[in-house]
Amino acid sequence: MGEAEFFAEHPDGAVEGVEHFAVGDVVEFVEEFFGLSEGLQEGCVAVAPICGFVGEEEVEKIIAIVDIGATMTTLSVLTDSGTPYTREQLFGGKQLTEEIQRRYSLSVEEAGLAKKQGGLPEDYDLEVLQPFKEAVIQQVTRSLQFFYSSSAYDDVDHIILAGGTASIEGLADMVSAKLGTPTTSANPFVNMALSSKVNKENLNNDAPALMIACGLALRSFD
């Protein structure tokens, strides 16, 4: 069994607690413990039109939003009528953290920081990160196939990747190349004015993990 297959076939169990307080971890903790599947749908609906690529003419197209949490990946497919389809699969970024921890003999905290900040050995990209990216593509493909088989649709117009894993460099391009569908990492803040006190680079890095929170906040203005 290859490493991509290992990632795909060995999903994590339930979250036992927040081990460190990166933005993505806090968001994933809330999703796991408080069951914000409805919040995900509301957040997706609210935030999709402002993710930077969706113009007025594209709002009515079929948009697939793939939210990759710590242990759960959720596909929500949006059309002009709302969210007709949602599917969850046991797969998430925690698997990458655990593989880093195992391979390089790091603590959970050290592995999480290394995943986000870099500084891992030279073999990381090829031996660990690349197989995980391939596993992500397998999960996205599988989720979309379930959607096609249970609906009247046989294609989507655009894929948005959300969750902390969506921040991995090159992942969106890789999904787009493999599936032949335009793919973007979620950034609900791209068209918003930012305070001078906000670190724009850090916000952009964390933006995919903040899509649900931003979407729910926007709902309060309805």
Side-chain angles (χ1 to χ4, degrees):
M1 178 183 293
E3 291 195 53
E5 287 79 7
F6 176 84
F7 279 123
E9 299 295 335
H10 294 78
D12 296 296
V15 172
E16 295 180 356
V18 175
E19 293 155 330
H20 51 93
F21 290 91
V23 171
D25 294 321
V26 175
V27 173
E28 289 157 1
F29 175 84
V30 172
E31 290 174 8
E32 294 287 345
F33 279 87
F34 296 98
L36 287 181
S37 58
E38 181 178 353
L40 172 61
Q41 295 184 22
E42 293 183 352
C44 291
V45 171
V47 87
I50 63 165
C51 275
F53 67 88
V54 183
E56 292 296 328
E57 73 284 355
E58 196 164 359
V59 171
E60 295 184 0
K61 292 187 178 180
I62 304 170
I63 308 297
I65 299 182
V66 183
D67 183 77
I68 307 168
T71 60
M72 190 74 69
T73 294
T74 303
L75 169 69
S76 295
V77 183
L78 312 180
T79 68
D80 56 351
S81 60
T83 308
Y85 181 89
T86 298
R87 178 179 174 81
E88 294 181 334
Q89 295 190 133
L90 282 171
F91 177 86
K94 189 177 180 183
Q95 291 174 243
L96 178 57
T97 303
E98 291 180 341
E99 179 62 13
I100 294 171
Q101 181 185 4
R102 182 193 67 80
R103 181 178 288 262
Y104 302 114
S105 300
L106 300 175
S107 68
V108 174
E109 292 78 8
E110 291 171 337
L113 287 174
K115 180 174 72 171
K116 190 168 185 177
Q117 299 177 359
L120 288 164
E122 292 183 0
D123 67 344
Y124 169 68
D125 284 350
L126 183 62
E127 299 294 330
V128 180
L129 185 59
Q130 184 66 20
F132 180 74
K133 288 180 179 179
E134 293 172 359
V136 170
I137 293 173
Q138 290 179 9
Q139 295 299 320
V140 173
T141 301
R142 184 179 302 172
S143 294
L144 288 172
Q145 288 174 344
F146 277 112
F147 166 63
Y148 298 145
S149 66
S150 60
S151 71
Y153 301 100
D154 58 8
D155 198 7
V156 297
D157 297 298
H158 206 115
I159 298 171
I160 304 175
L161 300 182
T165 296
S167 298
I168 294 176
E169 184 177 356
L171 180 60
D173 290 339
M174 193 171 172
V175 171
S176 179
K178 291 286 188 179
L179 275 65
T181 302
T183 304
T184 308
S185 293
N187 186 351
F189 308 106
V190 69
N191 289 327
M192 294 185 186
L194 301 179
S195 167
S196 60
K197 297 180 181 180
V198 174
N199 186 312
K200 186 175 182 180
E201 181 178 356
N202 289 344
L203 181 63
N204 287 338
N205 289 337
D206 290 329
L210 295 172
M211 188 187 72
I212 295 174
C214 182
L216 291 175
L218 289 172
R219 298 286 288 188
S220 66
F221 294 101
D222 290 349

